[in-house]
């Protein structure tokens, strides 16, 4: 307790000794109250205002150990110093196990009073420390609860944002699809279809985040599966019946997932347009892990270099692939041994520390 005059309740049926204790501890800065029985002491403690208790063992009615047991059952009970004339160590051990803060042996002349003063001071300091520890633990738990509530609210808001962004992008993609369907010129229709695919690639990420338990990562195989399904339903869908995916369940951050999705969209659409001049043919998308790296390949068995140009060299699609590859810090290569066209991107599963800065500069 941090008050100037703490209150000690001395519970003992020896009235003369109680007066000695009262005089001795009053001189030492205590306000002393007396109770002549365990029952009376318990009643006084329940009234409140007691900072520390000195409790004798041998009393009529409830003895000290029985009284101590009931004191410990009181909510926010004061600390107890067990005081008895008995030299029996079993009583001391039992009292300490039952919750007494300290134990000392008294004498009829009051020579133990200085020791009682020290024990009472120690019990009060111990109670203060315990209270401070409990308050600190309560504050920690409260802070954790507040943090958990804020985190849950933030997650809910982020999920709602992703939901709204995904819906908005899907509306834009649908509008582009309608515009492409009504376009009279093939070049315009192709440009609108390409734009629709790019928007859909971004929208798929936000839909994935909205329905995922983890807002910090996207599972690439699921994302690519949905993205390719969108491409099959696009204006060029009748030429994508043999579009296949083989991908490991790799998780990456949403920004990098967007870059991967846009690259896949561009390269798949490139293959659809140029690989098979006489009709549809197989197009394979594959994602595999190789230690700390990921390998993404888009493959067709079409005409190869005879018609198609390198996707990194010219044209809007090629520039977009190059920009997204730079964002991924990816190495983009054409497989020279493949009869058709096989484009392979190699990038790290987790970006290097300097990657965000370089990506920002590249984009």
């Amino acid at each position: 307790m941090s008050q100037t005059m703490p209150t000690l309740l001395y519970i003992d049926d020896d009235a003369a000794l109680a007066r000695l204790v009262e005089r001795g501890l009053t001189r030492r800065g205590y306000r002393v109250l007396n109770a002549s029985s365990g029952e009376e002491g318990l009643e006084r403690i329940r009234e409140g205002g007691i900072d520390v208790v000195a409790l004798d063992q041998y009393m009529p009615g409830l003895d000290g150990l029985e009284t101590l047991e009931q004191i410990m059952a009181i909510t926010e009970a004061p600390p107890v110093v067990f005081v008895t004339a008995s030299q029996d160590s079993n009583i001391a051990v039992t009292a300490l196990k039952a919750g007494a803060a300290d134990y000392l042996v008294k004498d009829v002349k009051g020579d133990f009073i200085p020791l009682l003063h020290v024990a009472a001071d120690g019990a009060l300091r111990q109670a203060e420390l315990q209270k401070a520890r409990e308050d600190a633990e309560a504050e920690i738990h409260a802070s954790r609860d507040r943090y958990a509530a804020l985190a849950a609210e933030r997650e809910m808001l982020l999920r709602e944002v992703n939901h709204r962004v995904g819906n908005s992008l899907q509306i834009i993609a649908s509008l582009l699809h309608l515009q492409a369907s009504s376009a009279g010129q093939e070049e315009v229709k192709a440009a609108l279809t390409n734009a629709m695919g790019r928007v859909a690639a971004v929208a798929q990420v936000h839909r994935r985040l909205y329905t995922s338990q983890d807002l910090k990562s996207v599972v690439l195989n699921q994302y690519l599966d949905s993205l390719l399904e969108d491409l099959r339903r696009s204006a060029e869908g009748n030429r994508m019946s043999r579009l296949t995916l083989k991908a490991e369940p790799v998780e990456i951050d949403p920004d990098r997932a967007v870059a991967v999705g846009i690259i896949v969209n561009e390269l798949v659409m490139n293959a659809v347009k140029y690989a098979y001049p006489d009709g549809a043919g197989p197009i394979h998308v594959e994602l595999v892990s190789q230690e700390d790296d990921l390998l993404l390949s888009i493959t067709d068995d079409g005409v190869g270099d005879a018609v198609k140009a390198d996707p990194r060299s010219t044209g809007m699609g090629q520039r977009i692939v190059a920009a997204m590859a730079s964002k991924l810090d990816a190495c983009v290569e054409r497989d020279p041994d493949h009869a058709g066209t096989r484009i392979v991107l190699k990038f790290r599963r987790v970006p290097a520390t300097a990657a965000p800065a370089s990506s920002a500069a590249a984009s």
Side-chain angles (χ1 to χ4, degrees), residues 219-229 232 240-248 260 264 268 283-288 295-298:
V219 182
L220 268 183
N221 63 319
Q222 298 174 358
Y223 167 54
L224 291 176
D225 185 59
S226 298
L227 179 61
L228 296 188
E229 185 58 36
R232 293 187 188 98
M240 296 190 191
S241 58
R242 299 177 65 183
L243 177 60
T244 62
L245 170 68
K246 181 180 179 182
E248 297 180 10
V260 169
V264 169
V268 167
I283 302 172
H284 308 290
V285 178
E286 185 174 5
L287 178 76
V288 297
L295 296 181
L296 173 67
S297 63
I298 294 86

Side-chain angles (χ1 to χ4, degrees), residues 140-200:
I140 289 172
H141 288 308
S143 297
R144 287 175 179 170
D145 291 343
R146 288 194 296 270
Y147 176 80
L150 289 173
E153 182 180 3
R154 177 179 178 273
E155 182 173 309
M156 181 184 68
L157 291 174
L158 284 174
R159 205 176 297 280
E160 180 63 21
V161 166
N162 282 308
H163 177 54
R164 291 179 181 272
V165 171
N167 282 350
S168 298
L169 290 172
Q170 191 59 46
I171 290 172
I172 294 172
S174 298
L175 292 174
L176 290 171
H177 175 70
L178 290 174
Q179 193 68 46
S181 300
S182 61
Q185 299 180 16
E186 288 301 319
E187 290 184 359
V188 173
K189 179 177 292 189
L192 291 171
T193 300
N194 288 341
M196 181 194 70
R198 293 158 189 157
V199 172

Side-chain angles (χ1 to χ4, degrees), residues 16 45 59 63 71 138 225 228 233 268 275 285 320 330 345-346:
I45 291 169
M59 296 179 294
D63 65 17
I71 291 174
D225 185 59
L228 296 188
R233 291 197 298 264
V268 167
V285 178
I320 289 175
L345 287 89
K346 182 177 181 180

